[in-house]
Amino acid sequence: VGEGPGDVETPNLVGLTYAEAERKLEQAGYQLGGVEEVPSETVPAGIIAEQDPQAGATLEWGSFVYLTTSIGRPMETTAGF
């Protein structure tokens, strides 16, 4: 009886679409732990802006990785109009 896959290096998901990141996580043996959506001046909507843990971290196979996805530029307010 063999042992499990052990520790695996976290792939770089920043700059990928949500679907690409999810697929890459699955291929590496990780699970999606959750997704936070945040506005960004620099990252287009639908693109992964951050991940936790960061790329290159070594975790146990099957661990959770959390993503932050951009929703694009913050909405401008029209207060006072």
Side-chain angles (χ1 to χ4, degrees):
V1 177
E3 293 184 29
D7 293 344
V8 183
E9 193 173 293
T10 310
N12 183 10
L13 307 171
V14 175
L16 301 178
T17 65
Y18 175 81
E20 291 169 333
E22 190 174 35
R23 186 169 41 255
K24 205 167 187 180
L25 272 179
E26 193 175 293
Q27 290 170 347
Y30 289 112
Q31 296 183 55
L32 181 58
V35 179
E36 180 181 0
E37 294 181 333
V38 297
S40 174
E41 291 285 341
T42 57
V43 180
I47 301 297
I48 304 302
E50 297 178 27
Q51 68 183 72
D52 182 30
Q54 295 196 4
T58 303
L59 301 173
E60 187 175 314
W61 187 87
S63 295
F64 290 100
V65 175
Y66 299 85
L67 303 177
T68 301
T69 303
S70 171
I71 57 172
R73 292 180 175 264
M75 292 183 59
E76 294 187 27
T77 61
T78 56
F81 285 103

XYZ file of all heavy atoms in Angstrom:
595
model
N 0.853 -1.182 0.000
C 0.000 0.000 0.000
C 0.886 1.228 0.000
O 1.742 1.380 0.863
C -0.931 0.010 1.228
C -1.766 1.260 1.259
C -1.780 -1.225 1.255
N 0.694 2.119 -0.970
C 1.513 3.329 -1.080
C 0.986 4.444 -0.225
O -0.135 4.411 0.263
N 1.835 5.436 -0.021
C 1.422 6.610 0.736
C 0.704 7.581 -0.193
O 0.759 7.449 -1.402
C 2.651 7.288 1.330
C 3.329 6.452 2.384
C 4.490 7.184 3.021
O 4.467 8.428 3.084
O 5.414 6.499 3.457
N 0.054 8.597 0.379
C -0.632 9.617 -0.406
C 0.376 10.481 -1.141
O 1.582 10.319 -0.996
N -0.106 11.416 -1.922
C 0.770 12.253 -2.732
C 1.726 13.141 -1.934
O 2.698 13.631 -2.466
C -0.194 13.109 -3.549
C -1.520 12.485 -3.404
C -1.497 11.651 -2.162
N 1.445 13.380 -0.632
C 2.324 14.222 0.176
C 2.139 15.696 -0.094
O 1.060 16.154 -0.421
N 3.245 16.430 0.039
C 3.192 17.873 -0.129
C 3.339 18.263 -1.597
O 4.074 17.643 -2.350
C 4.299 18.539 0.685
C 4.067 18.383 2.185
O 2.936 18.050 2.583
O 5.017 18.598 2.946
N 2.627 19.322 -1.979
C 2.612 19.798 -3.358
C 2.826 21.303 -3.341
O 2.343 21.995 -2.457
C 1.246 19.478 -4.020
C 1.240 19.901 -5.473
C 0.908 18.011 -3.895
N 3.544 21.822 -4.337
C 3.774 23.268 -4.438
C 2.541 23.952 -5.012
O 1.962 23.495 -5.996
C 4.992 23.524 -5.325
C 5.480 24.945 -5.235
C 6.787 25.134 -5.984
O 7.804 24.558 -5.545
O 6.766 25.846 -7.001
N 2.161 25.074 -4.404
C 0.996 25.834 -4.848
C 1.283 26.514 -6.186
O 2.282 27.205 -6.315
C 0.645 26.919 -3.808
O 0.579 26.330 -2.524
C -0.681 27.575 -4.133
N 0.398 26.328 -7.197
C 0.612 26.981 -8.487
C 0.325 28.477 -8.412
O -0.394 28.941 -7.528
C -0.397 26.289 -9.406
C -1.477 25.809 -8.496
C -0.802 25.487 -7.186
N 0.875 29.229 -9.357
C 0.593 30.660 -9.448
C -0.727 30.845 -10.176
O -0.860 30.482 -11.342
C 1.717 31.389 -10.188
C 1.493 32.892 -10.225
O 0.610 33.422 -9.561
N 2.295 33.578 -10.995
N -1.708 31.407 -9.501
C -3.048 31.585 -10.064
C -3.357 33.040 -10.386
O -4.347 33.334 -11.062
C -4.085 31.040 -9.080
C -3.831 29.595 -8.632
C -4.768 29.218 -7.494
C -3.950 28.641 -9.787
N -2.536 33.953 -9.924
C -2.752 35.387 -10.146
C -2.639 35.682 -11.637
O -1.714 35.240 -12.313
C -1.749 36.222 -9.335
C -1.881 37.703 -9.663
C -1.947 35.994 -7.847
N -3.635 36.404 -12.155
C -3.654 36.761 -13.570
C -4.487 35.815 -14.422
O -4.721 36.080 -15.590
N -4.949 34.716 -13.821
C -5.789 33.768 -14.552
C -7.257 34.114 -14.375
O -7.624 34.828 -13.446
C -5.564 32.339 -14.027
C -4.145 31.779 -14.108
C -4.120 30.380 -13.495
C -3.655 31.743 -15.530
N -8.106 33.593 -15.244
C -9.547 33.715 -15.038
C -9.936 32.755 -13.921
O -9.177 31.837 -13.573
C -10.344 33.350 -16.297
O -10.143 31.968 -16.573
C -9.946 34.203 -17.490
N -11.109 32.941 -13.366
C -11.596 32.056 -12.304
C -11.602 30.598 -12.782
O -11.133 29.705 -12.075
C -12.996 32.486 -11.853
C -13.592 31.547 -10.849
C -13.247 31.631 -9.515
C -14.483 30.558 -11.245
C -13.781 30.752 -8.589
C -15.021 29.673 -10.334
C -14.670 29.785 -9.000
O -15.197 28.903 -8.090
N -12.115 30.346 -13.988
C -12.202 28.982 -14.517
C -10.812 28.360 -14.675
O -10.603 27.193 -14.337
C -12.944 28.965 -15.850
N -9.855 29.143 -15.178
C -8.490 28.639 -15.337
C -7.862 28.316 -13.988
O -7.211 27.289 -13.825
C -7.620 29.675 -16.058
C -7.971 29.890 -17.505
C -7.281 31.102 -18.107
O -6.946 32.065 -17.381
O -7.079 31.082 -19.337
N -8.078 29.202 -13.021
C -7.514 28.998 -11.688
C -8.111 27.753 -11.023
O -7.387 26.962 -10.418
C -7.765 30.233 -10.824
N -9.413 27.593 -11.151
C -10.080 26.433 -10.569
C -9.536 25.132 -11.175
O -9.251 24.175 -10.460
C -11.591 26.552 -10.802
C -12.403 25.545 -10.036
C -13.893 25.786 -10.182
O -14.343 26.220 -11.273
O -14.603 25.545 -9.206
N -9.346 25.116 -12.482
C -8.824 23.937 -13.180
C -7.381 23.640 -12.737
O -7.026 22.516 -12.464
C -8.912 24.153 -14.687
C -8.540 22.954 -15.526
C -8.886 23.108 -17.019
N -8.604 24.425 -17.596
C -9.525 25.338 -17.890
N -10.804 25.092 -17.685
N -9.185 26.490 -18.415
N -6.574 24.688 -12.628
C -5.178 24.522 -12.236
C -5.068 24.008 -10.792
O -4.214 23.186 -10.482
C -4.432 25.850 -12.396
C -2.965 25.698 -12.607
C -2.360 27.013 -13.081
C -0.907 26.819 -13.447
N -0.282 28.052 -13.907
N -5.934 24.513 -9.928
C -5.971 24.039 -8.537
C -6.291 22.549 -8.484
O -5.644 21.785 -7.767
C -7.036 24.787 -7.741
C -6.649 26.075 -7.066
C -7.848 26.658 -6.346
C -5.503 25.869 -6.108
N -7.308 22.165 -9.226
C -7.738 20.767 -9.259
C -6.616 19.867 -9.770
O -6.343 18.811 -9.194
C -8.971 20.641 -10.150
C -9.690 19.323 -10.010
C -10.974 19.315 -10.824
O -11.905 20.065 -10.492
O -11.010 18.553 -11.816
N -5.937 20.299 -10.820
C -4.843 19.510 -11.395
C -3.688 19.354 -10.411
O -3.003 18.340 -10.412
C -4.337 20.156 -12.691
C -5.310 20.058 -13.836
C -4.885 20.909 -15.041
O -4.001 21.748 -14.968
N -5.563 20.672 -16.162
N -3.465 20.372 -9.570
C -2.370 20.333 -8.597
C -2.750 19.565 -7.332
O -1.907 19.314 -6.488
C -1.955 21.752 -8.239
N -4.035 19.207 -7.212
C -4.464 18.437 -6.047
C -4.958 19.267 -4.882
O -5.037 18.799 -3.762
N -5.286 20.532 -5.147
C -5.814 21.409 -4.106
C -7.319 21.592 -4.257
O -7.884 21.292 -5.301
C -5.152 22.789 -4.179
C -3.713 22.775 -3.749
C -2.701 23.008 -4.659
C -3.365 22.529 -2.429
C -1.372 23.000 -4.270
C -2.042 22.511 -2.038
C -1.052 22.750 -2.956
O 0.251 22.734 -2.577
N -7.932 22.145 -3.194
C -9.353 22.451 -3.223
C -9.530 23.960 -3.107
O -8.742 24.636 -2.444
C -10.065 21.781 -2.052
C -10.005 20.263 -2.113
C -10.791 19.667 -0.965
O -11.966 19.977 -0.805
N -10.145 18.841 -0.187
N -10.562 24.483 -3.734
C -10.888 25.900 -3.636
C -11.540 26.135 -2.279
O -12.576 25.563 -1.974
C -11.824 26.308 -4.774
C -12.243 27.763 -4.812
C -11.025 28.677 -4.906
C -13.181 28.010 -5.967
N -10.915 26.982 -1.469
C -11.420 27.232 -0.120
C -12.456 28.331 -0.076
O -13.299 28.368 0.798
N -12.400 29.236 -1.017
C -13.339 30.346 -1.040
C -12.846 31.422 -1.990
O -11.682 31.432 -2.379
N -13.763 32.312 -2.344
C -13.433 33.386 -3.274
C -13.985 34.694 -2.717
O -15.142 34.767 -2.330
C -14.041 33.131 -4.674
C -13.711 34.271 -5.612
C -13.556 31.815 -5.233
N -13.134 35.702 -2.689
C -13.559 37.037 -2.296
C -13.510 37.904 -3.538
O -12.570 37.813 -4.326
C -12.621 37.598 -1.224
C -13.004 38.981 -0.760
C -12.055 39.529 0.290
O -11.097 38.850 0.668
O -12.290 40.676 0.715
N -14.511 38.735 -3.732
C -14.549 39.640 -4.877
C -14.245 41.048 -4.396
O -14.854 41.526 -3.435
C -15.916 39.590 -5.552
C -16.204 38.253 -6.180
C -17.553 38.210 -6.871
O -18.478 38.960 -6.473
O -17.687 37.427 -7.813
N -13.282 41.696 -5.060
C -12.888 43.043 -4.661
C -12.757 43.937 -5.888
O -12.398 43.474 -6.963
C -11.546 43.048 -3.887
C -11.660 42.279 -2.586
C -10.426 42.501 -4.739
N -13.030 45.238 -5.743
C -12.783 46.161 -6.849
C -11.279 46.377 -7.016
O -10.521 46.270 -6.057
C -13.486 47.451 -6.413
C -13.628 47.347 -4.934
C -13.648 45.895 -4.594
N -10.851 46.670 -8.225
C -9.433 46.915 -8.484
C -9.273 47.923 -9.612
O -9.937 47.825 -10.638
C -8.727 45.613 -8.858
O -7.389 45.862 -9.246
N -8.367 48.842 -9.425
C -8.038 49.829 -10.460
C -7.148 49.209 -11.531
O -7.079 49.703 -12.645
C -7.315 51.029 -9.835
C -8.175 51.892 -8.947
C -9.131 52.779 -9.724
O -8.915 53.010 -10.929
O -10.113 53.239 -9.113
N -6.417 48.138 -11.179
C -5.396 47.594 -12.069
C -5.692 46.213 -12.632
O -5.141 45.849 -13.669
C -4.042 47.537 -11.341
O -4.185 46.753 -10.153
C -3.564 48.923 -10.970
N -6.543 45.441 -11.945
C -6.824 44.076 -12.397
C -8.205 44.036 -13.043
O -9.186 44.442 -12.424
C -6.754 43.066 -11.219
C -7.034 41.659 -11.694
C -5.391 43.148 -10.529
N -8.315 43.551 -14.287
C -9.614 43.497 -14.964
C -10.610 42.586 -14.242
O -10.217 41.648 -13.546
C -9.273 42.918 -16.339
C -7.799 43.089 -16.503
C -7.222 43.081 -15.141
N -11.881 42.856 -14.434
C -12.934 42.044 -13.831
C -12.799 40.580 -14.260
O -12.503 40.286 -15.420
C -14.300 42.583 -14.229
N -13.009 39.678 -13.299
C -12.983 38.252 -13.586
C -11.605 37.622 -13.526
O -11.454 36.428 -13.763
N -10.589 38.407 -13.180
C -9.219 37.911 -13.120
C -8.796 37.766 -11.654
O -9.135 38.601 -10.818
C -8.253 38.870 -13.860
C -8.671 39.016 -15.319
C -6.801 38.412 -13.741
C -8.614 37.739 -16.133
N -8.038 36.718 -11.353
C -7.563 36.488 -9.992
C -6.521 37.559 -9.652
O -5.527 37.712 -10.357
C -6.944 35.085 -9.841
C -7.934 33.988 -10.265
C -6.437 34.859 -8.414
C -9.252 33.981 -9.517
N -6.769 38.299 -8.562
C -5.880 39.373 -8.140
C -4.904 38.905 -7.053
O -3.787 39.398 -6.971
C -6.698 40.553 -7.618
N -5.337 37.960 -6.215
C -4.507 37.457 -5.122
C -4.886 36.018 -4.827
O -5.976 35.560 -5.190
C -4.726 38.271 -3.843
C -4.329 39.716 -3.924
C -4.619 40.465 -2.637
O -4.646 39.833 -1.556
O -4.830 41.680 -2.703
N -3.965 35.337 -4.143
C -4.254 33.985 -3.679
C -3.612 33.792 -2.320
O -2.641 34.460 -1.976
C -3.744 32.932 -4.659
C -2.227 32.848 -4.746
C -1.768 31.846 -5.775
O -1.891 32.105 -6.970
N -1.230 30.723 -5.316
N -4.185 32.904 -1.522
C -3.662 32.593 -0.201
C -3.774 31.096 0.022
O -4.880 30.575 -0.001
C -4.447 33.346 0.871
C -3.903 33.089 2.269
O -2.684 32.851 2.402
O -4.695 33.145 3.223
N -2.670 30.406 0.196
C -1.295 30.886 0.262
C -0.758 31.281 -1.109
O -1.327 30.930 -2.140
C -0.518 29.695 0.817
C -1.302 28.515 0.382
C -2.736 28.953 0.370
N 0.336 32.009 -1.098
C 0.927 32.498 -2.334
C 1.564 31.366 -3.133
O 1.839 30.288 -2.612
C 1.958 33.570 -2.024
C 1.308 34.798 -1.407
C 2.204 35.998 -1.431
O 3.288 35.968 -1.972
N 1.740 37.083 -0.844
N 1.793 31.629 -4.406
C 2.414 30.661 -5.305
C 3.762 30.216 -4.746
O 4.510 31.022 -4.201
C 2.605 31.271 -6.687
N 4.030 28.924 -4.872
C 5.298 28.375 -4.424
C 5.266 27.813 -3.018
O 6.190 27.113 -2.619
N 4.191 28.113 -2.268
C 4.071 27.555 -0.925
C 3.863 26.050 -1.038
O 3.211 25.573 -1.969
C 2.907 28.197 -0.183
N 4.431 25.301 -0.116
C 4.278 23.850 -0.133
C 3.240 23.459 0.908
O 3.404 23.736 2.092
C 5.621 23.163 0.165
O 6.580 23.605 -0.798
C 5.495 21.659 0.076
N 2.168 22.845 0.431
C 1.071 22.415 1.311
C 0.788 20.938 1.093
O 1.158 20.363 0.078
C -0.207 23.193 0.981
C -0.168 24.700 1.091
C -1.461 25.282 0.567
C 0.046 25.104 2.534
N 0.083 20.382 2.044
C -0.346 18.994 1.925
C -1.361 18.868 0.794
O -2.205 19.732 0.602
C -0.972 18.555 3.250
C -1.305 17.085 3.301
C -1.816 16.693 4.670
O -1.216 17.089 5.677
O -2.849 15.990 4.708
N -1.266 17.804 0.039
C -2.203 17.519 -1.052
C -3.615 17.581 -0.495
O -3.898 17.062 0.584
C -1.896 16.138 -1.622
C -2.674 15.808 -2.851
C -2.342 16.114 -4.135
C -3.911 15.094 -2.927
N -3.298 15.648 -4.999
C -4.280 15.016 -4.285
C -4.751 14.533 -1.972
C -5.441 14.387 -4.712
C -5.909 13.917 -2.393
C -6.236 13.844 -3.761
N -4.527 18.237 -1.210
C -5.926 18.351 -0.790
C -6.215 19.580 0.060
O -7.347 19.809 0.452
N -5.192 20.393 0.348
C -5.377 21.607 1.150
C -6.220 22.629 0.392
O -6.376 22.550 -0.819
C -4.018 22.228 1.488
O -3.272 21.378 2.320
N -6.705 23.606 1.131
C -7.533 24.657 0.544
C -6.687 25.852 0.130
O -5.753 26.232 0.826
C -8.591 25.138 1.543
C -9.659 24.109 1.796
C -9.607 23.315 2.923
C -10.695 23.937 0.899
C -10.584 22.363 3.158
C -11.676 22.990 1.116
C -11.623 22.203 2.257
N -7.047 26.452 -0.995
C -6.434 27.684 -1.475
C -7.568 28.689 -1.658
O -8.620 28.362 -2.201
C -5.671 27.458 -2.802
C -5.141 28.773 -3.351
C -4.531 26.466 -2.602
N -7.349 29.905 -1.184
C -8.356 30.952 -1.235
C -7.980 31.979 -2.301
O -6.813 32.342 -2.421
C -8.482 31.624 0.141
C -8.912 30.635 1.200
C -7.974 29.839 1.849
C -10.249 30.462 1.504
C -8.355 28.907 2.800
C -10.646 29.533 2.455
C -9.689 28.759 3.092
O -10.089 27.827 4.011
N -8.967 32.422 -3.056
C -8.725 33.336 -4.166
C -9.419 34.673 -3.944
O -10.481 34.742 -3.317
C -9.249 32.732 -5.476
C -8.680 31.375 -5.875
C -9.349 30.900 -7.150
C -7.173 31.448 -6.039
N -8.814 35.724 -4.488
C -9.436 37.044 -4.532
C -9.579 37.411 -5.997
O -8.591 37.454 -6.727
C -8.569 38.092 -3.802
O -8.392 37.671 -2.443
C -9.234 39.453 -3.827
N -10.817 37.622 -6.425
C -11.124 37.920 -7.818
C -11.517 39.382 -7.954
O -12.275 39.917 -7.149
C -12.295 37.037 -8.301
O -11.951 35.678 -8.113
C -12.591 37.263 -9.765
N -11.002 40.010 -8.995
C -11.342 41.406 -9.259
C -12.742 41.514 -9.857
O -13.142 40.689 -10.677
C -10.332 42.010 -10.235
O -10.754 43.294 -10.653
N -13.459 42.560 -9.437
C -14.747 42.877 -10.065
C -14.601 44.141 -10.914
O -15.590 44.743 -11.315
C -15.887 43.013 -9.033
C -15.547 44.069 -7.981
C -16.201 41.669 -8.407
C -16.699 44.404 -7.053
N -13.344 44.533 -11.158
C -13.085 45.708 -11.994
C -12.976 46.973 -11.167
O -12.828 46.936 -9.952
N -13.070 48.090 -11.870
C -12.920 49.391 -11.212
C -14.046 49.631 -10.208
O -15.183 49.223 -10.438
C -12.926 50.507 -12.254
C -11.712 50.491 -13.145
C -11.808 51.640 -14.151
N -10.585 51.689 -14.922
C -9.556 52.483 -14.632
N -9.631 53.300 -13.613
N -8.478 52.456 -15.379
N -13.713 50.329 -9.110
C -14.766 50.676 -8.138
C -15.820 51.561 -8.789
O -15.494 52.347 -9.679
C -14.012 51.456 -7.064
C -12.566 51.241 -7.319
C -12.417 50.826 -8.746
N -17.041 51.390 -8.358
C -18.123 52.223 -8.912
C -17.943 53.648 -8.450
O -17.617 53.901 -7.300
C -19.484 51.692 -8.463
C -19.835 50.351 -9.049
S -21.482 49.801 -8.575
C -22.487 51.110 -9.201
N -18.153 54.585 -9.360
C -18.079 56.001 -8.987
C -19.390 56.401 -8.357
O -20.448 56.010 -8.820
C -17.787 56.847 -10.224
C -16.422 56.578 -10.802
C -16.094 57.550 -11.927
O -16.639 58.668 -11.914
O -15.309 57.159 -12.780
N -19.283 57.171 -7.311
C -20.505 57.622 -6.660
C -20.978 58.917 -7.284
O -20.194 59.706 -7.807
C -20.266 57.837 -5.148
O -19.261 58.838 -4.996
C -19.834 56.559 -4.472
N -22.256 59.114 -7.229
C -22.843 60.347 -7.761
C -23.500 61.123 -6.621
O -24.510 61.769 -6.801
C -23.863 60.029 -8.871
O -24.837 59.128 -8.344
C -23.190 59.441 -10.077
N -22.898 61.005 -5.432
C -23.455 61.700 -4.269
C -23.487 63.209 -4.514
O -22.557 63.771 -5.080
C -22.611 61.393 -3.035
N -24.556 63.805 -4.115
C -24.674 65.254 -4.264
C -25.367 65.666 -5.553
O -25.581 66.852 -5.792
N -25.726 64.737 -6.387
C -26.411 65.084 -7.631
C -27.887 64.894 -7.507
O -28.388 64.094 -6.854
C -25.896 64.249 -8.814
C -24.559 64.702 -9.279
C -23.412 63.981 -8.934
C -24.396 65.829 -10.057
C -22.173 64.374 -9.356
C -23.148 66.233 -10.492
C -22.029 65.511 -10.133
